[in-house]
Amino acid sequence: MKKRLFIGTTVTIPSSELKKIKKDISNLDIFGKWVEEENLHFTYRFLGEVLSPFIPEISKNLMKALSNVKKVEAELKGLGVFPNNKTPRVLWIGVNAPGIETIKIAVDESLKPMGFKEENKEFIPHVTVLRIKKFRHRIKFSNYLNKMKDHLFLKTTVKEVSLIESILTSDGPVYKKLETVKLL
């Protein structure tokens, strides 16, 4: 049996901040699927479909690789989009955390013995909040993103990293932590 997995850190963003973004986005005629508050996270590495017998080894390697990694202070700050402002598909909150690269490197190192290839894309820590289906008013939206680029949503400490199963359902994904490693 296979499980759809990723390695990440869950976050709790104040509901008042999320309500404000939702209202602003609605006023800009942007439509899509909002990520449920309990599913908010940032991802260090998406693993995809993994055979169940390999999960204990991934957990063991992850725990070993992160055993000497320290907690990181983080700011959830600013809004951005992927892939770009002309054709936005994902609205996200940025994760500004000096030292988070150390966690990413440890995660990647833990996966090498399992045959996972290095990623070719730049690591941009972020929390996805909306999957955009339709939008209008490109200039108004760009202005809004610019206005929000320095908005501080939350200061937090990254205290743990989890191996998370993503169970896809008709109502959206359900996340289940399989292993959690506490940072020093």
Side-chain angles (χ1 to χ4, degrees):
M1 188 169 125
K2 290 183 177 181
K3 294 187 178 197
R4 188 172 190 262
L5 305 177
F6 66 91
I7 298 171
T9 295
T10 56
V11 294
T12 303
I13 297 172
S15 292
S16 59
E17 292 285 356
L18 295 171
K19 284 178 186 170
K20 182 183 180 328
I21 296 172
K22 287 179 181 182
K23 181 180 178 208
D24 292 345
I25 292 298
S26 175
N27 290 338
L28 291 169
D29 288 330
I30 297 170
F31 305 95
K33 179 165 183 342
W34 291 94
V35 175
E36 295 81 5
E37 286 186 43
E38 65 271 14
N39 284 347
L40 294 173
H41 69 279
F42 51 93
T43 302
Y44 299 102
R45 186 75 181 262
F46 178 73
L47 304 180
E49 299 286 331
V50 176
L51 290 168
S52 295
F54 292 111
I55 294 172
E57 188 173 351
I58 292 171
S59 295
K60 184 183 83 174
N61 290 350
L62 189 63
M63 288 180 10
K64 183 178 177 187
L66 292 169
S67 65
N68 293 316
V69 176
K70 295 184 171 142
K71 298 175 190 172
V72 174
E73 296 303 315
E75 293 181 338
L76 274 58
K77 183 177 180 181
L79 289 175
V81 293
F82 289 135
N84 57 52
N85 283 1
K86 286 186 178 181
T87 56
R89 295 286 168 246
V90 172
L91 176 69
W92 49 260
I93 296 173
V95 177
N96 180 15
I100 202 162
E101 191 66 37
T102 303
I103 298 171
K104 169 68 170 149
I105 290 167
V107 166
D108 286 344
E109 288 298 314
S110 77
L111 297 169
K112 282 183 181 175
M114 301 288 304
F116 286 92
K117 304 282 186 234
E118 285 191 37
E119 291 183 303
N120 293 330
K121 60 183 182 176
E122 179 185 3
F123 176 56
I124 301 172
H126 66 280
V127 178
T128 297
V129 291
L130 174 66
R131 298 198 183 285
I132 299 170
K133 304 282 188 222
K134 187 168 81 168
F135 88 107
R136 303 176 197 155
H137 314 300
R138 181 176 291 131
I139 293 171
K140 285 183 184 178
F141 185 47
S142 289
N143 289 341
Y144 175 69
L145 291 177
N146 192 47
K147 178 181 116 180
M148 296 297 288
K149 73 179 180 191
D150 292 322
H151 181 80
L152 180 64
F153 292 93
L154 174 71
K155 284 188 178 188
T156 188
T157 303
V158 178
K159 299 176 186 175
E160 60 186 37
V161 176
S162 298
L163 176 61
I164 302 170
E165 180 181 5
S166 174
I167 303 162
L168 300 179
T169 73
S170 58
D171 294 328
V174 175
Y175 297 148
K176 178 180 169 188
K177 290 182 183 180
L178 303 178
E179 184 74 56
T180 296
V181 181
K182 304 279 186 201
L183 301 177
L184 297 177

